[in-house]
Amino acid sequence: MMKQIIFAAILLLTLIILGYSFYRIYRFFKLTRPAFKIKDHAQRFNELMRVAFGQSKIFRWPFTGLMHALVFWGFLVITIGSVEMVIDGVAGTHRALGVLGAVYNVIIGSGDVFAVIVLLAILIFLGRRLVMNINRFNGIELRKKSKQDAILALTLIFLLMVSLLGMNMAYVALYESKVWFEGVYPVSRWFSDLFLDGIPYDQLLIVHEVNWWTHILLIFIFANVLPYSKHFHVFTSLPNVYLSRLTPVGKMNTMEDVKTEVEMMMNPEAAQEPPAEELASFGVSDAEHITWKNYLDSLSCTQCGRCTSVCPANQTGKKLSPRKIMVDTRARMKERGPQLLDHGKNADDKKMLIEDFITAEELWACTTCNACVIECPININQPELILEMRRYLVLEQAKAPGELSTMLTNIENNGAPWQYSPEDRMKWSEELFMNV
Ligand code: SF4
Ligand code: SF4
């Protein structure tokens, strides 16, 4: 009974801290602008199955892709066992989900195998980070904390798998011959014979309890570390894929206010009513101007760097890194959110997302090729934010690169990007032998 009381108290504390962390992020979401209406649920479900559960994009890099996918699938299966531990801890039961019979055997058996696979994958990931100097893990946006986060998360997952296997091994040694033995343990049985054979019952009980508590406490600690680390995507990447933009890649959002203005100019009678509320500004200059989807994208970014590695601007030496756009947006909201919540929209720290975090040079380096969008394993849309920040520069600050200003002036004056009057446009065809 004492074990149940202690467990319930720790669980409650974990949920309170986690609840506070989620509430804090929810309040930041409330500061953002609307994005799109969430509909087409069948299409979204397909996308979730294909991109998230099927890990379709991650397999473009076969070896690391397979390892990541195995870790992801392993986590899904092992999480069911963690839920069972919580039930056992609170209710004082013994392998409570054993009532599922054959299904339970499949879940626990595959979880046991996945524990070893995840363990090996984590060792390889640690080796890649600590020993191999992989380009993708570097970049000005990856600060020291981000690298520490990665090592901490990998270490925690490593310990989680070791304690899971330790618990299963002791469980097999303790109870395999008893009638209440539940599940199958293809790997742990073998390890148990190898390492725990001949150990007295009392000591096996201690091994089991130590690993049980270590495993569940690590889960609680990990869950509370995630909202403050780059690994928050563990919570957000599935919702982020479900809430993907379903419009064709590269389709730009229409600026409704500008569209209404133009319609009123072109045809005042047919024009719709102007919006009731005037927008504070066009485009995005700071964290409070981004949409909830932009913010969800930034929270979900795994900082894997796949987008930056395919970005033609980045690869040709320009300052732009699409990963940095996401990292900076999240960092700015972390800084700006509390100011806005405490002091309202007039809070001013003399900083902005544009220039203080992301420079105009980075923004104008983007070719809008959308390679980053296609590559991103969790369907983040980086160019959308880049375009919105460019819109701010052009519409609010009248700042555009020289070539672009010339082109915009030409469109305004000549109805085309070129410096010819509309009357001269067909001159090129005058010397042709046929009529055009
Ligand atoms: S859309 Fe822009 S940021 Fe994305 S890959 Fe192309 S150039 Fe890079
Ligand atoms: S935006 Fe996507 S591809 Fe780029 S670092 Fe983040 S998760 Fe990886």
Side-chain angles (χ1 to χ4, degrees), residues 64 109 192:
T64 46
S192 183

Side-chain angles (χ1 to χ4, degrees), residues 297 300-308 322-324 326-327 372 375-382:
D297 278 352
S300 308
C301 176
T302 66
Q303 302 186 13
C304 65
R306 284 173 161 78
C307 54
T308 299
R323 171 173 60 184
K324 181 172 177 290
M326 289 300 123
V327 171
C372 50
E375 193 64 27
C376 180
I378 50 171
N379 284 358
I380 285 174
N381 194 308
Q382 306 88 336

Side-chain angles (χ1 to χ4, degrees), residues 344-415:
K345 62 180 180 183
N346 294 326
D348 187 6
D349 64 350
K350 311 279 184 242
K351 279 203 223 167
M352 288 203 304
L353 178 60
I354 282 195
E355 291 306 343
D356 293 301
F357 285 77
I358 301 166
T359 61
E361 185 186 342
E362 290 166 71
L363 297 174
W364 290 116
C366 177
T367 64
T368 61
C369 65
N370 280 277
C372 50
V373 180
I374 293 166
E375 193 64 27
C376 180
I378 50 171
N379 284 358
I380 285 174
N381 194 308
Q382 306 88 336
E384 182 185 290
L385 203 43
I386 293 173
L387 284 175
E388 286 301 325
M389 286 191 265
R390 284 182 181 177
R391 282 171 170 173
Y392 172 82
L393 288 174
V394 173
L395 293 170
E396 294 286 330
Q397 307 250 299
K399 281 185 189 164
E403 303 91 325
L404 195 61
S405 298
T406 309
M407 188 196 77
L408 292 174
T409 310
N410 287 336
I411 290 176
E412 203 173 333
N413 295 335
N414 307 329

Side-chain angles (χ1 to χ4, degrees), residues 27-328:
R27 292 183 79 202
F28 291 169
F29 268 107
K30 298 264 287 179
L31 300 169
T32 58
R33 284 178 176 168
F36 49 81
K37 287 207 176 85
I38 304 167
K39 49 186 184 178
D40 303 314
H41 292 283
Q43 199 180 345
R44 292 186 182 284
F45 183 74
N46 276 343
E47 197 68 359
L48 184 71
M49 286 297 145
R50 189 178 65 83
V51 175
F53 289 105
Q55 298 276 291
S56 59
K57 288 180 153 189
I58 213 127
F59 279 116
R60 287 210 196 102
W61 304 37
F63 179 65
T64 46
L66 180 65
M67 282 195 306
H68 274 109
L70 287 172
V71 170
F72 174 74
W73 293 329
F75 255 87
L76 292 181
V77 175
I78 289 168
T79 300
I80 302 173
S82 309
V83 171
E84 180 186 49
M85 288 177 75
V86 172
I87 297 170
D88 284 346
V90 173
T93 46
H94 171 90
R95 300 264 169 180
L97 297 185
V99 291
L100 297 175
V103 177
Y104 184 77
N105 289 344
V106 172
I107 293 170
I108 294 298
S110 51
D112 196 49
V113 175
F114 267 124
V116 179
I117 294 173
V118 173
L119 197 65
L120 293 175
I122 294 300
L123 286 175
I124 295 171
F125 289 156
L126 274 170
R128 279 160 58 85
R129 285 196 173 263
L130 296 174
V131 183
M132 297 161 73
N133 191 20
I134 293 183
N135 231 356
R136 199 156 51 86
F137 298 146
N138 297 310
I140 47 166
E141 66 273 28
L142 296 186
R143 298 169 190 108
K144 201 171 165 199
K145 178 171 181 310
S146 167
K147 293 182 182 178
Q148 288 169 344
D149 272 0
I151 302 297
L152 175 69
L154 290 174
T155 310
L156 284 173
I157 298 170
F158 177 82
L159 295 174
L160 275 169
M161 295 306 113
V162 170
S163 54
L164 177 61
L165 287 169
M167 180 178 76
N168 284 352
M169 283 159 59
Y171 180 74
V172 170
L174 277 167
Y175 302 117
E176 198 173 16
S177 56
K178 308 285 191 298
V179 282
W180 60 81
F181 182 75
E182 304 285 2
V184 289
Y185 304 86
V187 180
S188 295
R189 164 170 296 138
W190 188 70
F191 281 152
S192 183
D193 290 345
L194 206 64
F195 298 116
L196 300 182
D197 196 29
I199 294 186
Y201 182 83
D202 288 357
Q203 288 178 25
L204 281 176
L205 270 182
I206 295 172
V207 173
H208 183 265
E209 283 303 288
V210 167
N211 279 292
W212 192 93
W213 277 102
T214 306
H215 188 71
I216 200 71
L217 290 179
L218 281 174
I219 290 174
F220 291 168
I221 292 168
F222 196 32
N224 276 305
V225 166
L226 289 177
Y228 302 93
S229 86
K230 82 183 187 87
H231 295 279
F232 191 53
H233 67 85
V234 170
F235 290 124
T236 55
S237 49
L238 290 181
N240 197 59
V241 173
Y242 188 79
L243 297 169
S244 300
R245 285 164 202 78
L246 298 179
T247 48
V249 174
K251 185 171 187 293
M252 294 179 195
N253 291 335
T254 306
M255 297 183 79
E256 289 303 329
D257 299 274
V258 175
K259 186 177 151 210
T260 310
E261 288 280 325
V262 173
E263 281 174 351
M264 282 168 69
M265 274 163 48
M266 309 276 284
N267 186 2
E269 279 167 27
Q272 300 159 0
E273 284 291 305
E277 264 185 57
E278 236 181 73
L279 262 186
S281 69
F282 292 113
V284 165
S285 65
D286 213 342
E288 63 265 40
H289 304 142
I290 63 176
T291 66
W292 61 260
K293 182 64 175 98
N294 299 141
Y295 185 43
L296 184 61
D297 278 352
S298 75
L299 287 175
S300 308
C301 176
T302 66
Q303 302 186 13
C304 65
R306 284 173 161 78
C307 54
T308 299
S309 69
V310 296
C311 171
N314 186 276
Q315 295 308 302
T316 48
K318 311 263 183 347
K319 266 186 84 184
L320 174 65
S321 159
R323 171 173 60 184
K324 181 172 177 290
I325 303 293
M326 289 300 123
V327 171
D328 286 346

